[in-house]
């Protein structure tokens, strides 16, 4: 009876498993923002002279096309300093022309731990696309890790199936301006909400570990003769007015300290008056106009350094 | 861990497989460990609370059995007080603190403790154990692990059925051999329960949540439909959970008590309470209603006993006046129904309704359903103000409708524009009709299943058709279910 049951059960669930695996396989072929970026990176590796690392503030706020040198923006949404370091370590050997490294560090970067946030699932994408090991062993217990359906989630998977597995994605350059972007949709209320959402992903205990990642990146870059620039991208006043000043100053002093010790340049545009409302797409992200402005400023700093 | 989660999809087959693999002596140990893992998937530290209850009641059971005279009662009282105290601290403290604070104009003392999942269920299950031991109807369990499993048994751990020790404990000692028909029957029940919860209840919730979000801005039609949908949402949600719990236990050879028996087929409120959440209603009957005198007392005392029983039942569901009123209203229904039984029988005979028993029965069902739905307004509303606002809007809408009908015009809420803005077309007309069809299908299927113990579809030569139905159910569960924001079962909050 047991054997009969097991046999029938296997026959019953086989089509379900087959269907599941078929969908999973099709999902694995879908381009993601990371896989598109990896493809572009691999294509441009031999030519890259300037590499940008960081999170969405750098991804949107620094436009590689405006640098004097051939630049590549390897920043990504919610990318933590752990992944910045791992990506640098993985590809630095394959960038023979690399001369400059721009590390973007936001207000929350030094206290940010991707594992502790609702976006922990991004770790699995880094693992699958870039083969970067997980930052936290507890992620091994998450079922999302083991299938693309889990990674995309049920609702997203259904939508993809209904769209016949077609997916549109933006690439390494900042998102294009919206046609009627005259009046930015942000305010004190949205800024306060944004800061609160960042507080939820900031963990003071993570500070030293993240600082170590920064130090490691600087050491690695210097070992390859690469000049490092640490940048804090600008935010709008609706965001900056609600920050915790103590935490902000702790971040700034730590970066100033490290830049002095390691002889690297730290440029802080956080409250820079050059950036006004038309430069922002929301409370803490630049739009294309702002990205062009910031990129020119960073480029000027880079070019001003004697070769 | 929720039943409608990927974790349970992995957990259940592994535990069941190991259960049948292990020799009998190890099986209860496996179930105990598995149940602990199941519970710790919620808030791990809270397992200590259940273990505290387990230790107290396990010890109390033995002490009660060994003691004589007043000591017996003393141990029982200690056990009841400690169990109820835990429930009070986690569930009722803030409510009573706020009410006392308002009464005496004092600032309330607020506790930030989160209610452990299923606390109300396993405290009642623990209480029934010590009470049964006290009355000599159950021998005190001497094996700590077995008693712990009685409280922890994962299929019914977080939302019942609230079992009696006489029904469950002895089953842990029985050898359960693999039985093909029983296992398939259990899996089928689990599938059906999942379908009711994920496909029907969770989709009905879309309408209900919209109707009850800002009821002041909804039409009376939306509120009436929203409330009726809630009646089915809560039934399918809870009975679906019970089906999964009973099915999961059945697979391993355990028989849990039936918790629902098509409650909306009831022709009276009394019958409804024999069919709805049977494990809880029988608990209140046996441990509150009967000890307080039951129907052996005089009329006024009986009314008091009924009201106390139902108010406590309401309070069990939640620390909010809405639940108290819901319970009291049901008690009131029972009292009125009892004292109007004879006049109603006379009236129905006089108007000739008894000559049409089916129509009469259907009318009684409709009246019972309407009365129950009225009480569900309190159950679903977050507070009394919202509940009263809903009734006010419904009353206003009905009055407007009657006024329009008397003037031979279309009631304002039945115009094309009003209907378009109501919850009828919230997700489109087709979806609304689909939900009605689903409710009819589920009710019809359960009626048919009950009437025929073994339906024609279970015949061996119809295996292909059966499997097609299973695949259809599974596909609809996967496709319609929202697996990202997995909706909790309603009764988990109790």
């Amino acid at each position: 009876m047991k054997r009969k049951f097991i046999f029938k059960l296997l026959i019953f669930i086989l089509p379900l498993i087959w269907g599941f695996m078929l969908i999973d396989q099709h999902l694995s072929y879908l381009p993601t923002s990371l896989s598109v970026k990896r493809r572009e990176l691999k294509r441009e590796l031999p030519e890259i002279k300037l590499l940008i690392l960081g999170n969405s503030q750098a991804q949107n706020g620094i436009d590689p096309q405006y640098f004097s040198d051939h630049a590549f923006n390897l920043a990504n949404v919610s990318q933590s300093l752990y992944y910045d370091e791992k990506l640098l370590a993985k590809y630095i050997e394959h960038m023979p022309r690399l001369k400059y490294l721009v590390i973007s560090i936001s207000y929350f970067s030094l206290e940010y731990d991707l594992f502790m946030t609702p976006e922990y699932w991004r770790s699995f994408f880094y693992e699958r696309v870039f083969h970067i090991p997980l930052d936290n062993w507890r992620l091994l217990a998450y079922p999302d890790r083991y299938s693309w359906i889990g990674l995309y989630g049920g609702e997203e998977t259904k939508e993809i199936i209904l769209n016949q597995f077609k997916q549109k994605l933006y690439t390494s350059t900042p998102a294009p301006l919206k046609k009627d972007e005259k009046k930015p949709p942000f305010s004190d209320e949205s800024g306060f909400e944004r800061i609160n959402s960042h507080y939820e992903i900031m963990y003071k205990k993570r500070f030293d570990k993240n600082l170590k990642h920064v130090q490691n990146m600087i050491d690695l870059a210097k070992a390859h003769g690469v000049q490092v620039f640490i940048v804090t991208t600008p935010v709008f006043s609706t965001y900056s007015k609600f920050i915790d000043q103590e935490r902000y100053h702790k971040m700034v002093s730590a970066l100033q300290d490290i830049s002095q010790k390691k002889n690297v340049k730290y440029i802080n545009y956080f409250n820079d008056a050059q950036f006004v409302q038309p430069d922002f797409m929301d409370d803490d992200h630049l739009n294309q106009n702002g990205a062009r402005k910031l990129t020119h400023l960073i480029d000027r700093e880079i070019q001003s350094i004697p070769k | 861990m929720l039943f409608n989660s990927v974790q349970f999809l992995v957990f259940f087959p592994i535990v069941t497989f190991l259960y049948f693999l292990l020799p009998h002596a190890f099986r209860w140990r496996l179930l105990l460990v598995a149940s602990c893992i199941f519970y710790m998937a919620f808030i791990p530290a809270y397992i200590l609370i259940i273990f505290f209850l387990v230790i107290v009641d396990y010890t109390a059971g033995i002490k009660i059995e060994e003691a004589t005279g007043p000591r017996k009662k003393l141990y029982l009282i200690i056990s009841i007080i400690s169990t109820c105290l835990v429930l009070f601290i986690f569930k009722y403290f803030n409510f009573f603190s706020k009410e006392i604070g308002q009464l005496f104009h004092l600032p309330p003392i607020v506790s930030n403790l989160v209610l452990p999942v299923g606390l109300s269920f396993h405290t009642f299950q623990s209480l029934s154990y010590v009470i049964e031991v006290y009355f000599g109807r159950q021998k005190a369990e001497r094996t700590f692990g077995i008693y712990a499993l009685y409280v922890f048994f994962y299929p019914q751990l977080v939302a019942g059925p609230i079992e009696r020790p006489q029904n469950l404990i002895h089953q842990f000692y029985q050898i359960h051999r693999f039985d093909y028909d029983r296992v398939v029957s259990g899996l089928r029940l689990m599938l059906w329960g999942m379908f009711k919860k994920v496909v029907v209840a969770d989709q009905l919730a879309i309408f209900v949540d919209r109707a009850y979000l800002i009821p002041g801005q909804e039409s009376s039609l939306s509120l009436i439909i929203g409330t009726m949908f809630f009646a089915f949402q809560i039934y399918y949600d809870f009975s679906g959970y019970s089906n999964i719990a009973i099915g999961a236990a059945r697979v391993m050879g355990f028989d849990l008590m039936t918790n629902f028996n098509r409650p909306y087929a009831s022709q009276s409120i009394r019958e409804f309470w024999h069919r709805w959440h049977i494990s809880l209603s029988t608990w209140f009957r046996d441990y509150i209603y009967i000890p307080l005198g039951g129907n052996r007392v005089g009329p006024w005392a009986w009314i008091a006993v009924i009201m106390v029983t139902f108010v406590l039942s309401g309070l069990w569901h939640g620390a909010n006046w809405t639940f108290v009123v819901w319970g009291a209203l049901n008690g009131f229904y029972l009292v009125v129904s009892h004292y109007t039984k004879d006049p109603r029988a006379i009236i129905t005979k006089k108007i000739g309704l008894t000559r049409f028993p089916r129509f009469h029965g259907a009318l009684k069902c409709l009246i019972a359903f309407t009365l129950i739905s009225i009480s569900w307004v309190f159950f679903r509303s977050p507070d009394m103000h919202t509940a009263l606002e809903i009734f006010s809007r419904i009353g206003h809408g009905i009055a407007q409708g009657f006024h329009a009908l008397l003037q031979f015009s279309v009631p304002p809420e039945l115009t094309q524009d009003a209907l378009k803005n109501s919850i009828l077309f919230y997700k489109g007309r087709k979806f609304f009709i689909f939900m009605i069809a689903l409710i009819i299908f589920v009710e019809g299927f359960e009626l048919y299943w009950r009437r025929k113990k073994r339906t024609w579809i279970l015949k061996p030569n119809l295996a292909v058709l059966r499997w097609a139905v299973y695949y259809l159910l599974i596909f609809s569960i996967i496709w319609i279910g929202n697996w990202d924001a997995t909706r909790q079962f309603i009764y988990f909050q109790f």
Side-chain angles (χ1 to χ4, degrees):
Chain A
M1 271 301 178
K2 245 188 233 178
R3 247 181 264 167
K4 176 187 169 189
F5 174 78
I6 291 167
F7 176 73
K8 278 192 165 183
L9 185 69
L10 280 170
I11 301 290
F12 183 81
I13 63 174
L14 263 170
L16 296 170
I17 293 171
W18 176 81
F20 181 88
M21 286 173 68
L22 194 69
I23 294 169
D24 213 66
Q25 193 184 35
H26 274 82
L27 286 176
S28 71
Y29 298 147
L30 281 182
T32 65
S33 61
L34 283 186
S35 67
V36 165
K37 202 156 264 200
R38 188 191 65 171
R39 191 181 63 221
E40 288 178 357
L41 175 69
K42 282 196 161 175
R43 195 177 56 222
E44 296 181 39
L45 274 173
E47 303 302 321
I48 296 171
K49 287 185 180 172
L50 190 153
L51 184 68
I52 302 140
L53 291 169
N55 54 37
S56 58
Q57 289 180 356
Q59 184 192 34
N60 287 293
I62 303 175
D63 196 338
Q65 65 179 310
Y66 297 111
F67 281 110
S68 308
D69 299 294
H70 188 119
F72 190 89
N73 192 330
L74 196 49
N76 217 315
V77 175
S78 303
Q79 186 161 288
S80 65
L81 287 165
Y82 167 77
Y83 287 106
D84 285 336
E85 185 195 338
K86 289 294 180 191
L87 284 166
L88 180 68
K90 191 177 173 75
Y91 290 106
I92 196 165
E93 300 284 346
H94 305 284
M95 290 185 276
R97 292 187 171 195
L98 188 67
K99 281 160 62 180
Y100 308 109
L101 174 67
V102 174
I103 306 171
S104 167
I105 295 180
S106 313
Y107 163 66
F108 58 86
S109 297
L110 290 178
E111 293 185 34
Y112 176 57
D113 182 353
L114 180 60
F115 169 66
M116 298 295 286
T117 73
E119 291 184 89
Y120 67 87
W121 48 266
R122 292 183 186 273
S123 308
F124 306 131
F125 276 99
Y126 282 102
E127 194 184 26
R128 283 174 183 263
V129 175
F130 286 110
H131 309 292
I132 294 174
L134 300 171
D135 187 17
N136 194 307
W137 62 268
R138 277 179 278 185
L139 286 164
L140 291 169
Y142 284 64
D144 327 17
R145 181 178 184 248
Y146 301 97
S147 89
W148 283 97
I149 293 173
L151 262 182
Y152 277 104
E155 294 310 299
E156 182 84 26
T157 302
K158 280 185 230 175
E159 225 179 279
I160 291 168
I161 292 170
L162 288 170
N163 283 334
Q164 295 166 36
F165 292 93
K166 287 173 193 147
Q167 182 91 327
K168 256 188 183 176
L169 283 160
Y170 51 85
T171 57
S172 58
T173 51
L177 270 175
K178 290 175 195 158
K179 278 186 189 161
D180 52 357
E181 199 164 323
K182 286 177 193 160
K183 197 178 173 189
F186 47 93
S187 59
D188 277 1
E189 202 184 316
S190 62
F192 183 73
E193 245 181 70
R194 192 98 183 113
I195 267 285
N196 269 338
S197 70
H198 284 163
Y199 280 140
E200 281 167 21
I201 59 170
M202 288 167 78
Y203 301 92
K204 290 180 180 173
K205 285 183 187 172
R206 189 77 190 182
F207 191 91
D208 292 336
K209 199 169 178 186
N210 280 329
L211 202 59
K212 191 86 182 90
H213 289 312
V214 177
Q215 287 169 349
N216 291 344
M217 279 191 276
I218 294 170
D219 293 341
L220 184 60
K222 287 190 140 200
H224 286 80
V226 174
Q227 271 186 298
V228 178
F229 296 83
I230 302 174
V231 165
T232 297
T233 53
V235 297
F236 194 57
S237 57
T238 50
Y239 181 95
S240 60
K241 62 165 67 164
F242 295 115
I243 59 165
D244 181 331
Q245 292 294 334
E246 199 185 311
R247 275 163 123 159
Y248 170 72
H249 287 297
K250 185 181 176 185
M251 175 205 89
V252 170
S253 348
L255 293 177
Q256 281 171 343
D257 190 50
I258 209 174
S259 55
Q260 263 185 345
K261 282 185 184 152
K262 302 280 182 181
N263 194 26
V264 298
K265 190 150 192 185
Y266 171 48
I267 320 156
N268 186 357
Y269 296 102
F270 191 74
N271 279 316
D272 198 305
Q274 294 176 86
F275 295 90
V276 290
Q277 201 179 52
D279 296 323
F280 288 92
M281 119 177 142
D282 61 33
D283 306 274
D284 64 327
H285 291 92
L286 293 169
N287 57 24
Q288 263 192 342
N289 290 334
R292 187 175 56 236
K293 195 187 275 185
L294 177 65
T295 311
H296 280 311
L297 286 170
I298 298 171
D299 191 48
R300 210 183 302 157
E301 292 284 347
I302 291 170
Q303 299 308 320
S304 69
I305 304 264
K307 304 278 184 264
Chain B
M1 180 188 314
L2 297 174
F3 281 160
N4 54 327
S5 68
V6 173
Q7 287 92 330
F8 184 71
L9 207 58
V10 174
F11 172 88
F12 176 71
I14 292 173
V15 170
T16 309
F17 175 73
L18 288 171
Y19 179 81
F20 285 114
L21 200 68
L22 288 172
H24 170 69
F26 293 98
R27 285 181 177 179
W28 69 262
R29 291 172 174 88
L30 164 75
L31 286 178
L32 185 59
V33 169
S35 300
C36 290
I37 293 169
F38 183 88
Y39 192 79
M40 287 169 77
F42 295 105
I43 300 176
Y46 276 11
I47 202 168
L48 297 170
I49 298 164
I50 308 191
F51 260 114
F52 168 76
L53 289 174
V54 166
I55 291 165
V56 164
D57 293 323
Y58 167 77
T59 312
I62 293 170
K63 291 285 185 197
I64 289 169
E65 193 172 69
E66 288 172 354
T68 51
R71 280 191 158 236
K72 229 176 151 71
K73 202 169 217 171
L74 177 68
Y75 289 128
L76 175 70
I77 290 168
I78 290 170
S79 168
I80 291 173
I81 288 174
S82 3
T83 306
C84 291
L85 194 64
V86 170
L87 190 62
F88 177 82
I89 288 167
F90 282 94
K91 193 165 178 177
Y92 300 107
F93 181 83
N94 285 341
F95 172 67
F96 284 104
S97 166
K98 186 182 128 197
E99 295 306 317
I100 290 169
Q102 276 180 355
L103 195 64
F104 295 106
H105 305 289
L106 294 167
I109 304 166
V110 175
S111 150
N112 291 322
L113 293 172
V114 174
L115 178 67
V117 173
L119 184 66
S120 305
F121 290 89
H122 39 253
T123 49
F124 269 37
Q125 192 150 309
S126 303
L127 285 173
S128 75
Y129 169 77
V130 290
I131 293 170
E132 295 298 315
V133 170
Y134 175 80
F135 283 112
R137 297 192 286 248
Q138 169 69 26
K139 279 184 73 63
E141 180 52 51
R142 301 283 165 161
T143 310
F144 179 77
I146 294 284
Y147 178 72
L149 185 58
Y150 163 73
V151 177
F152 268 102
F153 188 43
Y154 83 83
Q156 44 97 223
L157 174 61
V158 290
I162 302 169
E163 274 294 345
R164 302 298 176 92
Q166 296 94 328
N167 187 45
L168 190 55
I169 290 180
H170 74 94
Q171 294 190 64
F172 297 132
Y173 288 101
Q174 289 169 352
I175 298 173
H176 298 122
R177 299 198 196 287
F178 182 90
D179 181 282
Y180 179 87
D181 288 333
R182 194 196 67 228
V183 168
V184 170
S185 164
L187 290 173
R188 207 163 27 225
L189 193 58
M190 289 175 77
L191 180 62
W192 182 241
M194 196 67 85
F195 175 80
K196 284 200 300 190
K197 155 67 182 165
V198 170
V199 176
V200 192
D202 285 354
Q203 303 313 307
L204 286 172
I206 295 169
F207 293 91
V208 176
D209 290 350
R210 152 73 197 262
Y212 277 76
L213 183 64
I214 311 172
Q217 291 180 7
E218 296 294 337
S219 63
S220 65
L221 182 66
S222 292
L223 292 170
I224 290 169
I225 291 171
T227 302
M228 284 167 63
F229 273 9
F230 177 70
F232 285 102
Q233 179 204 346
I234 192 169
Y235 170 47
Y236 294 142
D237 190 285
F238 198 11
S239 67
Y241 174 90
S242 295
N243 286 153
I244 299 169
I246 294 166
R250 188 183 293 174
V251 167
M252 291 182 287
F254 297 96
D255 283 315
L256 298 181
M257 66 184 294
T258 303
N259 219 5
F260 291 88
N261 182 12
R262 295 183 53 245
Y264 294 134
S266 306
Q267 295 186 6
S268 66
I269 300 294
R270 187 164 183 267
E271 190 183 353
F272 176 81
W273 283 103
H274 285 293
R275 290 171 176 252
W276 176 272
H277 201 177
I278 297 166
S279 64
L280 181 74
S281 55
T282 52
W283 195 100
F284 272 100
R285 180 197 65 197
D286 294 340
Y287 300 121
I288 304 289
Y289 177 72
I290 290 173
L292 285 178
N295 54 9
R296 291 165 291 144
V297 297
W300 288 110
W302 178 78
I303 292 171
V305 165
I306 283 282
M307 293 308 292
V308 163
T309 305
F310 274 90
V311 163
L312 286 176
S313 168
L315 204 55
W316 176 90
H317 284 82
N320 196 322
W321 287 114
T322 52
F323 293 115
V324 174
V325 170
W326 169 79
L329 187 56
N330 276 276
F332 174 74
Y333 286 156
L334 267 177
V335 169
V336 169
S337 142
H338 176 77
Y339 286 107
T340 59
K341 193 175 169 188
D342 293 334
R344 279 185 290 121
I346 293 166
I347 292 167
T348 49
K349 198 173 178 184
K350 273 215 155 112
I351 62 175
L353 263 177
T354 47
R355 279 185 282 137
F356 307 98
R358 282 198 171 183
F359 174 74
H360 186 207
L363 188 64
K364 285 197 283 185
C365 271
L366 186 63
I367 293 169
F369 180 77
T370 305
L371 291 172
I372 294 295
S373 297
I374 289 169
S375 72
W376 282 136
V377 172
F378 291 101
F379 195 95
R380 178 58 179 81
S381 300
D383 48 61
M384 286 300 298
H385 171 77
T386 306
L388 295 172
E389 187 178 20
I390 289 170
F391 284 119
S392 164
R393 284 200 73 79
I394 290 174
H396 181 68
I398 291 172
Q400 273 191 324
F402 270 120
H403 182 70
L405 284 172
L406 285 170
Q407 296 189 327
F408 301 104
S409 59
V410 177
E413 289 191 2
L414 295 179
T415 59
Q416 192 91 322
D417 285 335
L419 285 174
K420 272 188 192 157
N421 290 325
S422 72
I423 65 167
L424 253 85
F425 298 143
Y426 176 48
K427 288 283 174 185
R429 189 169 39 187
K430 282 182 188 168
F431 188 70
F432 179 79
I433 294 168
F434 173 66
M435 291 316 305
I436 300 285
L438 263 182
I439 292 171
I440 294 169
F441 165 69
V442 172
E443 289 301 303
F445 183 82
E446 291 205 326
L447 172 68
Y448 184 74
W449 193 264
R450 290 245 175 235
R451 287 201 176 159
K452 294 191 180 237
K453 290 286 173 189
R454 193 168 174 84
T455 67
W456 57 272
I457 202 170
L458 292 176
K459 287 181 182 165
N461 57 340
L462 291 172
V464 172
L465 178 62
R466 257 199 323 279
W467 280 32
V469 171
Y470 296 155
Y471 281 127
L472 188 64
L473 289 177
I474 290 170
F475 178 75
S476 61
I477 289 166
I478 292 171
W479 191 258
I480 295 173
N482 187 342
W483 300 97
D484 294 334
T486 310
R487 249 190 128 89
Q488 209 176 59
F489 289 89
I490 292 176
Y491 264 70
F492 267 31
Q493 63 187 300
F494 309 135

